[in-house]
Amino acid sequence: MSVSNPMFGEQPFKIGLFSANCSGGLAVTTVPEQWAAEWDEIVELTCLAEDGGLEFILPVAKWKGYGGESDILGRSYETFTHGAALAALTTKMTIFVTVHVPLVHPTYAAKSLATIDHISRGRVGLNMVCGWNQDEFDLFGVAVDPDRRYEQGLEWYRLLMKLYDGGPEFSWNGDFYSGQHMHTNPLPIQRPRPITMSAGVSPQSQEFAAVTSDFLFTAVAALKNAPSLIGDMKSYAGKFERDIGVYTMSHVVCRETRKEAEEYFYFFAEECADRDALSYYEAKKGVKMANADRGGSVSPTNRLPGQVYTGSYPGAYPLVGAPDDVAREIIHMHELGLDGMTIAFVNYLDELPFFLEAVLPRLEVAGIRLPVGKIP
Ligand SMILES: Cc1cc2nc3c(=O)[nH]c(=O)nc-3n(C[C@H](O)[C@H](O)[C@H](O)COP(=O)(O)O)c2cc1C
């Protein structure tokens, strides 16, 4: 069967949905309209995104929320099973699964991923995350050594690749994984493996992506930093004679007018920010989000591009404004060398239609998106 995964398609700047499998999406807020992650709504959203021409859907792997009133990410659909179901309900999009490498043995991942690749006829994508929150791993009784996360990730990937070679049974006695009589059947439709992505921001995550991934999914909080990040990533990958696409994540607030969009952003992400949930994130990450960029003197009337509020998800670039404003910033991302991005909304189903109707045509006029019917 000939396979063409949309992530390798002609679309110049690729766009996908992120975190719609989780309650709260990427908004650390208490507003009542926040995303509830109901299955029927996820199905409706995915079909809307596919019909509207988006390339992919990318779920977050999550086992525990951040507490606070919202308990953002507290309810989440497991990503292999979520992917298998969406694969059966769609025909064009790439369906990513996000895998915590310390929690899923490669033998299990190889079979699950191949299963979804067959269901989707070659449209599955693997997003590898090495994880950061020991609280989540505690649910499994697994301790992750933060200093060896990427070493473990590399061994995980190498073992997966060996299984996907499809050769005779073998044994594996590594530092992190072991097994006897190892093989997998069926092999994935995409050969030698499904497309891969990995998510992270550190230099170690870039080195890992250089060896394992077709795409690095990262957080470009300040767009001015994008060219150097992309340059670093391309040079890491170049050492292995590979090319790699760089994607970032955004949160979209698009309304008829800039004023409306700015006011809503301020309302949900500053006035109704879930500060306890953000504190949990900061405590677990061992970071303090810079307050100069997070609220403080910022208000809906003087927010500068890229500035965020307390309840903005860390690392998600805020695309806020009228359709012209949002399109302008996306075009700028493309000019800076990014290959694509993810989008998220406070309420995906309420807000995606306007993005598709009003922003995508502007990106088509700018030549960074092909109209749906024009994609070969
Ligand atoms: C864009 C992006 C998406 C991520 N998605 C997940 C996820 O779904 N689940 C998870 O546990 N960690 C996720 N992470 C966290 C990474 O796996 C990683 O643990 C984190 O970025 C810290 O590692 P680093 O300092 O090497 O970047 C994500 C990170 C980024 C930047």
Side-chain angles (χ1 to χ4, degrees):
M1 183 187 298
S2 84
V3 177
S4 71
N5 191 305
M7 291 298 283
F8 287 141
E10 297 292 308
Q11 201 58 270
F13 188 81
K14 301 193 172 53
I15 301 178
L17 293 169
F18 183 45
S19 198
N21 66 314
C22 297
S23 59
L26 288 185
V28 193
T29 183
T30 59
V31 293
E33 66 272 26
Q34 68 184 194
W35 188 239
E38 293 290 347
W39 178 248
D40 288 348
E41 290 190 335
I42 292 172
V43 171
E44 196 180 335
L45 176 75
T46 305
C47 295
L48 197 65
E50 177 165 88
D51 291 346
L54 300 191
E55 282 67 49
F56 64 99
I57 181 154
L58 178 61
V60 169
K62 198 51 68 185
W63 304 95
K64 189 178 188 313
Y66 295 175
E69 189 182 327
S70 66
D71 192 25
I72 174 177
L73 309 178
R75 169 192 168 94
S76 70
Y77 286 105
E78 188 283 318
T79 75
F80 280 113
T81 41
H82 167 271
L86 293 184
L89 295 169
T90 53
T91 56
K92 296 189 285 253
M93 288 176 101
T94 296
I95 308 291
F96 274 102
V97 299
T98 299
V99 183
H100 275 128
V101 301
L103 301 182
V104 184
H105 193 281
T107 306
Y108 191 94
K111 191 171 274 284
S112 301
L113 204 60
T115 301
I116 304 173
D117 209 33
H118 284 252
I119 296 170
S120 66
R121 297 174 191 273
R123 289 181 292 120
V124 79
L126 166 66
N127 179 33
M128 294 167 280
V129 292
C130 293
W132 57 276
N133 188 357
Q134 183 57 46
D135 278 5
E136 291 189 81
F137 301 137
D138 286 346
L139 271 75
F140 296 81
V142 168
V144 175
D145 178 351
D147 296 331
R148 299 192 70 194
R149 290 178 307 149
Y150 287 106
E151 241 179 279
Q152 179 167 7
L154 213 48
E155 186 182 323
W156 188 94
Y157 175 77
R158 294 210 160 107
L159 179 45
L160 183 82
M161 288 300 94
K162 181 139 178 73
L163 286 160
Y164 280 165
D165 278 352
E169 289 184 4
F170 61 94
S171 302
W172 187 277
N173 286 303
D175 288 347
F176 302 95
Y177 304 97
S178 59
Q180 308 295 317
H181 321 297
M182 297 180 88
H183 82 292
T184 196
N185 187 3
L187 295 173
I189 292 175
Q190 296 173 80
R191 301 299 293 145
R193 57 157 171 73
I195 59 154
T196 54
M197 175 178 262
S198 54
V201 288
S202 63
Q204 293 86 336
S205 76
Q206 293 184 20
E207 286 174 21
F208 175 72
V211 179
T212 62
S213 306
D214 300 314
F215 310 98
L216 171 72
F217 183 30
T218 192
V220 185
L223 290 188
K224 65 178 179 352
N225 299 335
S228 70
L229 186 148
I230 294 164
D232 287 351
M233 190 60 250
K234 301 266 177 193
S235 70
Y236 279 130
K239 284 186 206 157
F240 300 93
E241 297 180 355
R242 300 184 69 245
D243 193 17
I244 186 163
V246 180
Y247 283 55
T248 194
M249 60 171 167
S250 76
H251 183 102
V252 178
V253 186
C254 188
R255 298 291 187 272
E256 295 284 357
T257 65
R258 185 184 301 169
K259 182 169 180 291
E260 239 181 300
E262 291 290 355
E263 284 177 357
Y264 184 64
F265 186 33
Y266 188 78
F267 172 69
F268 88 76
E270 192 57 47
E271 291 181 3
C272 298
D274 188 343
R275 290 173 170 75
D276 291 338
L278 186 75
S279 299
Y280 172 85
Y281 175 91
E282 289 180 330
K284 291 294 154 188
K285 273 258 174 181
V287 294
K288 187 87 189 136
M289 304 315 296
N291 222 29
D293 289 337
R294 304 186 73 78
S297 64
V298 180
S299 78
T301 48
N302 67 3
R303 196 187 66 86
L304 297 172
Q307 274 191 312
V308 294
Y309 295 124
T310 307
S312 303
Y313 196 90
Y317 188 85
L319 289 169
V320 181
D324 280 337
D325 301 318
V326 172
R328 192 181 320 108
E329 288 206 85
I330 297 174
I331 293 162
H332 187 44
M333 286 178 172
H334 178 256
E335 286 164 355
L336 291 171
L338 288 164
D339 296 285
M341 64 165 193
T342 59
I343 53 175
F345 303 89
V346 170
N347 187 301
Y348 291 75
L349 211 41
D350 289 349
E351 298 178 66
L352 179 65
F354 188 56
F355 178 86
L356 297 174
E357 284 158 29
V359 178
L360 287 195
R362 287 165 163 83
L363 303 181
E364 290 163 12
V365 170
I368 73 161
R369 297 275 308 172
L370 301 172
V372 178
K374 295 266 172 61
I375 303 166

